[in-house]
C-alpha cells in the first residue's frame, strides 16, 4: 500500500489529538471529583441527580418546618402543664374551703389566691410565641382571651407541612382549651374563667354559702381534665412530627448515597485512569517522534 | 546502415524527456505540503519504429503532452458526500454545546435550585404567615427564579441570532466559492482546449468543491467539455459552466433568516427546507428544531407556573383582608416577573385562605403544595424541567457521537486519497535518482555518437 508523506503526518496528528482529548477528560474528572461535568456526559444521570437534589432540598425544608412546629408544641406543653397545676391548686382550695367551718380571714386569703390563679391562667392562655398569640386560632395578633374571660380568637387551624401531601395541625384554639358550658354547667355560657370568678365571689360572699363553693369543685376538675385532653392531642401531634423527622433523616441518608453514586467520581479510580491516560499519551508522543524523522534524504549521498 | 544523425536525435529527445521528468518530479516535491495537490506523473512511451532498407529503426522515447494527474474521481465524490454530513454535525454539535452551557445544572446554581428555593420560601410563609421577613424572602426568591427564566429564554434567542449571523456569513462564502469554481471552469477549458493538462486548476477546483460541500449539500458532475456542474441537492444549480448563481438570505416571519436561491432573472426561491447537509443544515436544524422546541417548553413551564400560582393567589386573602391580586405578571419565560404590586408591598401576598387573619396560612399551604402536584405533561414542574435538561444533554451527546463517527469516516477517506494522490518524498527521491541516471546515460549516448561522427569525419 502506498503511503504518502502527508498520510504519516496526518495520522500522527489525529492520534495525538485523540489521546490528548482523553487525557483532558480524565484530568477534569479528577479535578472536579465528579463524573458528570457537562450535561452530555450522562443525560440520564443528570436527570436523576436533579431529582435527588430536589428531594434533598425538600427534605431539608420539611425538617425545618418540623423543627419549628416541635418548638411551638413544646412551649405550648410547658404552658399547659402550668395551667393544669394552677387549676389543680384552685380545685384544692375550693375543696378546703368547702368542708368544715372556716374563718372568714381564711376565706379572704383563699379568695385572693383564686384571684391570683385566675390572673396567671389568663396570662398563660395569652402566651405569645414569636410575637403570635398561640391559642387564638388565626387571629394571632390579639390576645386570645379578654380580661373578662371571653374568647376573642377564632377556630382557625394552623397546619404545617411535614412531607409530601402531609400536613399536621399543631395549634390548640381557645375554644378547645377552655370550652364554654364545659366545665361550667351546661346552659350557663361560662368557661373556666367564669367558674373561677364564681368561686372567688363565693369565697368573698358574706354570709358565705358553702354549697356555692363546693359547686365549683367538679367544674374545676373537668376543666383540668379538658386541658389534659388537649395536651394528649398535642402530644400525639408532637410524636407524629418526631417520627416523621426520623423517617426523613433515614431517607436523606439514602438519597445522599444515591446522589453520590450518580454524580461523584470514585477518586481512586479517576486517578488511576488519569495515570493510564498520561502513560499512553507519552507513549504516542515517543512513537510519533521516531516515525517522523527519517526519510530517504538521510540516506542518499 | 543506421542513421547516426537519427541516433543523435534520439539522444537529444531522451535528454529533454528525462529533464522534463525531473521537472515534474521537482513540481511534486515542491508541492508536497500543498493542500489538495494531486501528484503528477510524466508518461513516456516509445516512438513507433520506422521501417527502412536494413530493418526496423527505433526512434527513441516520447513524452506524453498530457501530464497525468493521479486522482480517483469516485473517491472525490465519496469524500464530498461524507463531508456534507461532517459539516452538518460539526455545526450542530457546536451550537448545541452552546445551548448545553445555558442549562448548566451540574453545579447547584441552576434553575432547578432556584425553583426549589421559591417553593421553600412558601413553606416559610406557611410557618409564619404574617412575618415580614418571610414575605421579603419570598419576594427575593421569586425574583431570582423569574430572573433565571428570563435569562434562559433570552440566551436561547441570542444563540438563534448568532446562528443567523453564521448563516449569512456562510451564504456569502458559498457565493464566493461558486464564483471561484466558475472561474476555474473557464481557465481549465482554455488550457485543455489544445490538449494540455490543467492539473493545478483542477486541483484548485477540487479544493473549492470540497469547501462548498462542507457548507451545503451538493451534487456535482463534470460534463464532457471539462465543466464542473454543481447544484444543490434540491436541484438548484450553483455553478453551470462559467456561470454561477447566488444564494441570499431573507428575514422570515420568526425574525430569522431563510436561505434563498436567485435565478438569472433575479427571482428568488426559498430553499431553506430543502437543505439537507453541510453546515447550513446543522445550523438551521439547531435553530428551527432544537432551540424552538426548548423555548416552547420553557414558555409552557413558565406560563403554567404563573397560571397555577395566580389562580390560587387570587382566591386567597392578603394581610389587608383583601382578595389577592396576581402574584406573577407576564405570559412567557422571557417576560415572566413578579407583579409590580407585590414588589411594592409584600403585605399583598395572599397567604390566608379564609381571611386576612395573621395566623391563616391556608392559601400559602396550597401554593407550597403545587410543587409536588402533577400538573404538566403527567409530571410535576420539576419533572418537566428535568426532562428538558436531560433532552439537551442527549441531543448534545448524540450530535457528538455522529460528529465523531463522520470525522472518522472522512479521515479514513482522506487517507485513501493520500494513498492515490499524495506525494511521497521517498518515492520522489527515488524518481529523482532514476531520471538523473537516465539523463546521464542519454548525455553519454550523445557524446558517444559525437565521437563516432568525429571518427567518420576523420577517415
Amino acid at each position: 500500500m502506498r503511503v504518502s508523506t502527508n498520510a504519516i503526518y496526518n495520522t500522527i496528528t489525529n492520534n495525538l489529538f485523540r489521546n490528548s482529548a482523553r487525557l483532558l477528560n480524565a484530568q477534569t474528572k479528577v479535578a472536579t471529583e465528579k463524573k458528570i461535568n457537562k450535561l452530555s456526559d450522562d443525560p440520564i444521570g443528570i436527570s436523576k441527580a436533579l431529582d435527588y437534589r430536589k428531594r434533598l432540598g425538600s427534605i431539608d425544608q420539611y425538617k425545618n418546618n418540623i423543627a419549628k412546629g416541635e418548638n411551638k408544641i413544646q412551649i405550648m406543653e410547658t404552658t399547659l402543664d402550668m395551667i393544669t397545676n394552677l387549676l389543680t391548686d384552685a380545685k384544692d382550695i375550693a375543696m378546703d374551703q368547702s368542708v368544715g367551718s372556716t374563718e372568714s380571714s381564711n376565706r379572704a386569703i383563699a379568695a385572693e389566691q383564686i384571684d391570683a390563679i385566675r390572673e396567671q391562667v389568663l396570662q398563660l392562655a395569652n402566651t405569645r410565641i414569636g410575637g403570635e398569640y398561640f391559642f387564638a386560632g388565626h387571629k394571632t395578633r390579639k390576645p386570645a382571651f379578654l380580661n373578662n374571660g371571653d374568647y376573642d380568637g377564632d377556630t382557625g387551624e394552623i397546619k404545617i407541612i411535614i412531607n409530601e401531601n402531609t400536613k399536621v395541625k399543631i395549634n390548640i384554639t381557645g375554644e378547645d382549651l377552655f370550652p364554654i358550658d364545659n366545665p361550667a354547667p351546661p346552659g350557663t355560657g361560662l368557661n373556666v374563667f367564669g367558674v373561677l370568678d364564681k368561686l372567688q365571689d363565693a369565697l368573698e360572699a358574706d354570709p358565705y354559702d358553702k354549697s356555692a363553693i363546693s359547686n365549683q369543685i367538679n367544674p374545676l376538675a373537668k376543666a383540668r381534665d379538658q386541658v389534659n385532653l388537649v395536651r394528649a392531642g398535642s402530644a400525639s401531634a408532637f410524636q407524629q412530627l418526631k417520627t416523621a423527622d426520623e423517617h426523613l433523616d433515614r431517607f436523606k441518608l439514602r438519597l445522599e448515597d444515591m446522589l453520590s453514586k450518580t454524580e461523584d467520581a470514585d477518586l481512586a479510580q479517576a486517578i488511576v485512569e488519569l495515570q493510564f491516560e498520561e502513560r499512553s499519551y507519552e507513549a504516542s508522543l515517543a512513537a510519533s517522534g521516531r516515525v517522523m524523522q527519517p526519510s530517504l534524504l538521510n540516506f542518499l549521498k | 546502415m543506421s542513421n547516426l544523425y537519427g541516433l543523435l536525435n534520439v539522444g537529444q529527445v531522451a535528454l529533454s524527456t528525462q529533464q522534463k521528468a525531473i521537472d515534474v518530479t521537482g513540481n511534486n516535491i515542491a508541492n508536497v505540503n500543498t493542500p489538495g495537490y494531486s501528484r503528477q506523473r510524466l508518461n513516456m512511451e516509445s516512438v513507433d519504429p520506422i521501417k527502412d532498407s536494413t530493418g526496423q529503426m527505433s526512434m527513441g522515447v516520447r513524452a506524453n503532452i498530457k501530464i497525468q494527474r493521479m486522482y480517483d474521481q469516485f473517491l472525490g465524490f465519496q469524500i464530498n458526500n461524507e463531508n456534507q454530513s461532517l459539516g452538518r454535525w460539526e455545526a450542530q454539535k457546536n451550537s448545541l454545546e452552546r445551548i448545553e452551557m445555558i442549562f448548566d445544572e451540574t453545579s447547584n446554581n441552576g434553575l432547578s435550585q432556584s425553583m426549589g428555593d421559591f417553593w421553600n420560601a412558601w413553606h416559610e410563609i406557611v410557618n409564619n404567615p404574617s412575618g415580614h421577613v418571610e414575605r421579603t424572602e419570598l419576594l427575593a426568591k421569586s425574583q431570582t427564579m423569574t430572573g433565571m427564566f428570563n435569562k434562559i429564554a433570552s440566551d436561547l434567542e441570542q444563540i438563534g441570532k448568532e446562528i443567523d449571523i453564521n448563516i449569512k456569513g456562510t451564504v456569502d462564502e458559498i457565493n464566493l466559492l461558486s464564483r471561484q469554481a466558475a472561474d476555474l471552469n473557464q481557465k481549465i477549458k482554455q488550457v485543455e482546449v489544445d490538449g494540455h493538462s490543467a492539473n493545478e486548476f483542477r486541483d484548485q477546483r477540487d479544493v473549492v468543491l470540497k469547501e462548498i460541500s462542507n457548507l451545503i449539500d451538493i451534487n456535482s458532475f463534470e460534463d464532457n467539455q471539462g465543466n464542473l456542474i454543481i447544484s444543490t441537492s434540491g436541484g438548484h444549480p450553483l455553478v453551470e459552466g462559467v456561470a454561477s448563481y447566488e444564494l441570499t438570505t431573507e428575514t422570515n416571519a420568526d425574525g430569522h433568516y431563510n436561505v434563498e436561491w436567485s435565478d438569472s432573472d433575479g427571482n428568488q426561491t426559498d430553499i431553506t427546507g430543502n437543505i439537507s447537509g453541510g453546515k447550513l443544515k446543522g445550523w438551521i436544524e439547531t435553530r428551527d428544531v432544537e432551540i424552538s422546541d426548548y423555548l416552547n417548553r420553557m414558555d409552557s413551564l413558565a406560563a403554567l407556573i404563573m397560571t397555577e400560582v395566580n389562580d390560587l393567589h387570587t382566591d386567597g386573602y392578603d394581610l389587608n383582608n383583601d382578595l389577592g391580586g396576581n402574584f406573577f405578571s407576564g405570559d412567557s419565560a422571557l417576560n415572566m416577573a413578579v407583579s409590580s404590586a407585590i414588589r411594592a408591598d409584600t403585605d399583598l401576598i395572599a397567604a390566608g385562605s379564609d381571611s386576612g387573619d395573621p395566623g391563616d396560612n391556608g392559601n400559602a399551604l396550597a401554593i407550597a403544595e403545587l410543587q409536588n402536584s402533577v400538573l404538566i405533561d403527567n409530571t410535576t414542574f420539576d419533572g418537566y424541567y428535568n426532562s428538558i435538561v436531560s433532552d439537551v444533554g442527549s441531543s448534545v451527546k448524540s450530535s457528538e457521537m455522529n460528529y465523531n463517527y463522520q470525522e472518522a469516516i472522512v479521515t479514513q477517506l482522506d487517507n485513501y486519497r493520500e494513498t492515490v494522490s499524495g506525494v511521497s518524498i521517498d518515492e520522489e527521491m527515488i524518481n529523482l535518482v532514476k531520471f538523473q541516471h537516465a539523463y546521464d546515460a542519454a548525455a553519454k549516448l550523445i557524446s558517444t555518437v559525437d565521437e563516432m561522427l568525429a571518427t567518420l569525419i576523420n577517415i
Side-chain angles (χ1 to χ4, degrees):
Chain A
M1 182 184 116
R2 195 174 165 278
V3 175
S4 71
T5 312
N6 277 330
I8 298 177
Y9 292 126
N10 288 344
T11 308
I12 290 175
T13 312
N14 286 338
N15 285 338
L16 282 182
F17 280 163
R18 219 185 14 248
N19 284 344
S20 56
R22 287 216 301 265
L23 180 59
L24 189 60
N25 213 3
Q27 278 174 339
T28 310
K29 271 207 201 136
V30 171
T32 62
E33 295 188 40
K34 283 206 180 318
K35 276 189 289 198
I36 308 181
N37 292 306
K38 288 181 303 175
L39 297 183
S40 52
D41 283 341
D42 187 359
I44 298 183
I46 193 74
S47 171
K48 284 201 278 197
L50 284 180
D51 186 45
Y52 296 150
R53 281 201 222 135
K54 175 255 174 193
R55 285 176 199 262
L56 283 170
S58 290
I59 286 181
D60 283 341
Q61 183 62 45
Y62 294 139
K63 280 172 69 72
N64 191 8
N65 298 347
I66 287 175
K68 292 192 168 130
E70 282 180 349
N71 187 33
K72 286 188 175 157
I73 293 183
Q74 276 174 329
I75 296 180
M76 225 168 45
E77 162 63 20
T78 315
T79 310
L80 293 179
D81 189 40
M82 293 201 280
I83 291 182
T84 314
N85 290 340
L86 286 169
L87 291 181
T88 308
D89 288 347
K91 184 185 73 108
D92 290 344
I93 292 177
M95 272 173 46
D96 285 347
Q97 296 298 324
S98 65
V99 295
S101 73
T102 51
E103 305 267 331
S104 67
S105 60
N106 280 353
R107 277 186 286 117
I109 294 173
E112 276 177 24
Q113 284 177 319
I114 295 294
D115 190 43
I117 287 178
R118 185 196 185 279
E119 189 67 32
Q120 285 176 301
V121 171
L122 182 65
Q123 265 184 12
L124 288 169
N126 284 335
T127 302
R128 294 167 75 161
I129 304 179
E132 300 182 323
Y133 290 97
F134 203 63
F135 293 110
H138 282 169
K139 297 200 189 296
T140 53
R141 288 294 154 117
K142 293 183 306 181
F145 288 93
L146 298 173
N147 278 340
N148 62 10
D150 283 344
Y151 178 56
D152 198 25
D154 64 8
T155 55
E157 297 185 335
I158 297 183
K159 297 193 180 147
I160 59 171
I161 308 176
I162 63 170
N163 208 334
E164 241 180 84
N165 292 326
T166 314
K167 305 182 273 271
V168 172
K169 166 162 122 68
I170 58 169
N171 71 330
I172 298 175
T173 64
E175 293 203 352
D176 289 334
L177 183 60
F178 297 141
I180 308 263
D181 290 354
N182 171 23
T188 51
L190 294 176
N191 59 16
V192 76
F193 292 109
V195 171
L196 286 171
D197 285 338
K198 278 174 88 166
L199 179 57
Q200 190 175 352
D201 291 342
L203 286 170
E204 287 171 347
D206 194 9
Y208 85 97
D209 177 5
K210 215 193 274 186
S211 65
I213 297 177
S214 64
N215 278 348
Q216 310 308 323
I217 296 179
N218 268 346
L220 282 173
K222 274 179 24 180
R224 187 203 54 198
D225 290 344
Q226 177 66 19
V227 174
N228 278 337
L229 188 65
V230 294
R231 271 173 86 181
S234 158
S236 91
F238 187 80
Q239 193 54 43
Q240 195 178 355
L241 293 184
K242 263 204 117 37
T243 312
D245 197 36
E246 283 164 17
H247 276 161
L248 287 173
D249 278 336
R250 284 203 295 275
F251 199 38
K252 181 171 172 176
L253 277 178
R254 256 209 312 255
L255 276 177
E256 281 173 342
D257 191 41
M258 279 156 56
L259 178 62
S260 169
K261 281 206 182 79
T262 305
E263 65 173 11
D264 287 345
D266 178 346
L267 193 55
Q269 184 182 359
I271 289 184
V272 166
E273 235 177 78
L274 177 62
Q275 286 182 326
F276 177 72
E277 294 297 340
E278 278 176 349
R279 291 284 162 282
S280 80
Y281 184 62
E282 280 175 22
S284 63
L285 282 175
S288 310
R290 294 180 73 91
V291 169
M292 274 204 294
Q293 288 162 17
S295 83
L296 197 52
L297 280 165
N298 296 359
F299 298 99
L300 284 176
K301 303 269 185 307
Chain B
M1 170 166 139
S2 62
N3 186 339
L4 268 183
Y5 287 102
L7 207 51
L8 210 51
N9 199 28
V10 166
Q12 180 254 313
V13 170
L15 210 59
S16 65
T17 302
Q18 301 307 327
Q19 184 183 332
K20 192 152 178 33
I22 293 184
D23 223 9
V24 171
T25 304
N27 196 26
N28 282 345
I29 293 175
N31 279 308
V32 66
N33 285 330
T34 307
Y37 178 79
S38 310
R39 69 191 167 103
Q40 297 170 3
R41 188 165 74 185
L42 184 68
N43 287 331
M44 307 177 193
E45 51 197 26
S46 65
V47 182
D48 293 339
I50 296 183
K51 220 156 173 219
D52 74 353
S53 52
T54 60
Q56 304 274 52
M57 190 165 74
S58 47
M59 297 298 293
V61 73
R62 177 175 58 209
N64 212 332
I65 286 189
K66 235 184 162 36
I67 298 182
Q68 188 182 10
R69 173 176 172 250
M70 307 302 292
Y71 173 72
D72 182 342
Q73 192 174 42
F74 178 58
L75 202 51
F77 282 146
Q78 269 190 305
I79 291 181
N80 288 338
N81 259 343
E82 300 298 337
N83 216 12
Q84 294 167 28
S85 296
L86 181 66
R88 179 236 169 120
W89 289 115
E90 184 178 355
Q92 213 165 322
K93 174 180 94 100
N94 286 340
S95 43
L96 282 175
E97 280 175 349
R98 296 281 313 284
I99 296 179
E100 185 184 34
M101 287 197 292
I102 294 180
F103 284 100
D104 181 23
E105 294 285 343
T106 55
S107 63
N108 257 342
N109 300 322
L111 180 58
S112 184
Q113 178 71 28
S114 75
M115 282 202 291
D117 288 346
F118 168 70
W119 299 116
N120 284 347
W122 279 105
H123 278 259
E124 293 300 336
I125 304 269
V126 168
N127 292 339
N128 188 8
S130 56
H132 186 68
V133 168
E134 285 82 356
R135 284 165 179 257
T136 312
E137 256 310 274
L138 172 62
L139 177 61
K141 294 287 187 313
S142 309
Q143 287 183 300
T144 305
M145 183 181 79
T146 57
M148 283 216 160
F149 268 104
N150 299 151
K151 183 159 195 329
I152 290 181
S154 89
D155 280 349
L156 281 173
E157 293 198 347
Q158 179 64 22
I159 293 186
K161 290 205 179 83
E162 285 172 14
I163 288 181
D164 279 336
I165 294 180
N166 283 343
I167 288 180
K168 182 141 196 3
T170 302
V171 161
D172 288 342
E173 204 179 331
I174 291 177
N175 289 340
L176 190 64
L177 290 168
S178 299
R179 282 198 288 276
Q180 282 180 359
D183 269 347
L184 287 167
N185 273 345
Q186 171 91 315
K187 290 182 184 155
I188 290 174
K189 261 201 339 205
Q190 280 172 346
V191 169
E192 294 191 343
V193 76
D194 48 1
H196 287 114
S197 48
N199 291 336
E200 281 74 16
F201 293 143
R202 281 181 176 273
D203 281 343
Q204 286 172 20
R205 194 175 65 180
D206 279 348
V207 168
V208 165
L209 185 58
K210 190 173 179 196
E211 284 184 28
I212 297 185
S213 76
N214 189 256
L215 302 176
I216 186 174
D217 54 326
I218 48 163
N219 287 326
S220 67
F221 69 95
E222 185 171 333
D223 68 5
N224 47 18
Q225 291 173 357
N227 287 322
L228 187 66
I229 317 272
I230 306 179
S231 56
T232 68
S233 294
H236 301 278
L238 289 176
V239 175
E240 256 175 0
V242 301
S244 68
Y245 296 88
E246 301 242 316
L247 296 178
T248 57
T249 55
E250 291 292 332
T251 313
N252 64 13
D254 296 327
H256 291 300
Y257 282 142
N258 275 345
V259 177
E260 313 223 334
W261 175 80
S262 319
D263 66 12
S264 43
D265 297 326
N267 297 328
Q268 292 186 316
T269 323
D270 179 9
I271 61 168
T272 312
N274 293 335
I275 298 179
S276 63
K279 283 190 170 145
L280 278 183
K281 169 71 174 165
W283 280 320
I284 290 174
E285 182 83 2
T286 304
R287 184 191 72 191
D288 293 346
V289 174
E290 304 268 355
I291 289 186
S292 81
D293 177 42
Y294 300 137
L295 261 179
N296 279 344
R297 285 156 84 175
M298 290 303 291
D299 280 343
S300 298
L301 179 62
L304 196 62
I305 290 180
M306 291 197 280
T307 308
E308 293 289 335
V309 171
N310 282 346
D311 277 352
L312 285 176
H313 198 257
T314 45
D315 278 346
Y317 291 88
D318 62 17
L319 285 183
N320 300 328
N321 213 4
D322 294 325
L323 276 176
N326 275 338
F327 186 83
F328 288 114
S329 64
D331 58 357
S332 72
L334 191 60
N335 60 21
M336 181 186 197
V338 178
S339 74
S340 48
I342 306 259
R343 284 208 298 271
D345 184 4
T346 57
D347 281 356
L348 299 180
I349 296 179
S353 55
D354 298 319
S355 64
D357 287 336
D360 189 347
N361 64 4
N363 208 28
L365 222 145
I367 292 181
E369 290 189 318
L370 283 176
Q371 183 186 20
N372 294 323
S373 310
V374 173
L375 291 168
I376 178 171
D377 224 22
N378 276 336
T379 181
T380 61
F381 294 131
D382 290 314
Y384 190 72
Y385 178 66
N386 284 355
S387 69
I388 296 179
V389 170
S390 179
D391 284 351
V392 170
S394 292
S395 251
V396 175
K397 190 163 186 183
S398 88
S399 71
E400 278 178 357
M401 273 170 53
N402 276 321
Y403 172 73
N404 288 341
Y405 174 69
Q406 276 305 124
E407 200 187 27
I409 291 185
V410 170
T411 305
Q412 185 84 300
L413 287 173
D414 275 341
N415 282 345
Y416 279 145
R417 187 197 167 273
E418 280 295 313
T419 306
V420 172
S421 314
V423 171
S424 164
I425 293 276
D426 291 342
E427 186 188 35
E428 300 302 324
M429 286 298 110
I430 295 176
N431 286 345
L432 207 53
V433 169
K434 188 168 81 175
F435 294 134
Q436 190 196 11
H437 282 173
Y439 186 84
D440 288 344
K444 184 75 180 147
L445 173 64
I446 292 180
S447 69
T448 306
V449 169
D450 184 45
E451 284 173 16
M452 287 165 66
L453 278 172
T455 310
L456 266 183
I457 290 174
N458 290 333
I459 287 180

